Amino acid sequence: MGYIPSLAILVFAVAANWPRFILKRRGVRTQGQKGGDSWGSGILSVDVIYRDHEGKRHYVTVAPEYLPTGGRSSVIEVVYDPRNPKRAMSAGEFERPAWKTTDGGILFVAVGIALLYTVFVLLLT
């Protein structure tokens, strides 16, 4: 019974990290153009417009911390899935270690809870 909360968090964390796992396996890099800025729930985000291998236009919303630092370049590198070109993220987000992302942190918390519960159960039996 004690593994249920950890299992629920783990399932959520794997689902949240699934695009990253897929892009690590078969992601394709392309150049995107910075579109407009927008504020949603008080958080600034930037739309990046890119084209897939068939020339179709798509966009991905990127948080400012994943944009290139330095100059005000309007060219942003994007990694997308050729099987599902709408699954994409900026190269900055893609290259960031998973444990430094919110979704990756949740994954590590879920595994940690399961390990602590296992140790707790082993000590009591």
Side-chain angles (χ1 to χ4, degrees):
M1 187 71 163
Y3 285 108
I4 291 175
S6 181
L7 183 61
I9 295 170
L10 186 62
V11 167
F12 171 76
V14 168
N17 280 290
W18 194 250
R20 181 180 297 275
F21 297 145
I22 295 296
L23 292 174
K24 290 274 187 198
R25 288 186 54 210
R26 60 179 184 239
V28 174
R29 290 179 181 261
T30 189
Q31 299 290 319
Q33 293 292 321
K34 181 179 174 187
D37 299 342
S38 61
W39 287 88
S41 302
I43 300 171
L44 176 65
S45 60
V46 177
D47 290 334
V48 178
I49 302 161
Y50 64 96
R51 295 194 181 271
D52 64 15
H53 58 287
E54 296 176 346
K56 293 181 183 172
R57 186 175 159 174
H58 304 277
Y59 80 93
V60 62
T61 303
V62 179
E65 63 262 22
Y66 298 124
L67 296 174
T69 56
R72 297 180 166 253
S73 174
S74 64
V75 177
I76 298 165
E77 193 167 359
V78 174
V79 180
Y80 74 94
D81 179 4
R83 293 186 194 171
N84 179 7
K86 292 182 180 180
R87 180 182 293 140
M89 63 178 61
S90 72
E93 181 179 4
F94 178 72
E95 293 164 354
R96 191 172 199 180
W99 60 271
K100 286 188 173 182
T101 66
T102 303
D103 298 334
I106 292 170
L107 181 67
F108 285 108
V109 167
V111 171
I113 291 171
L115 289 173
L116 285 174
Y117 181 76
T118 302
V119 168
F120 181 74
V121 167
L122 290 175
L123 290 176
L124 289 180
T125 55

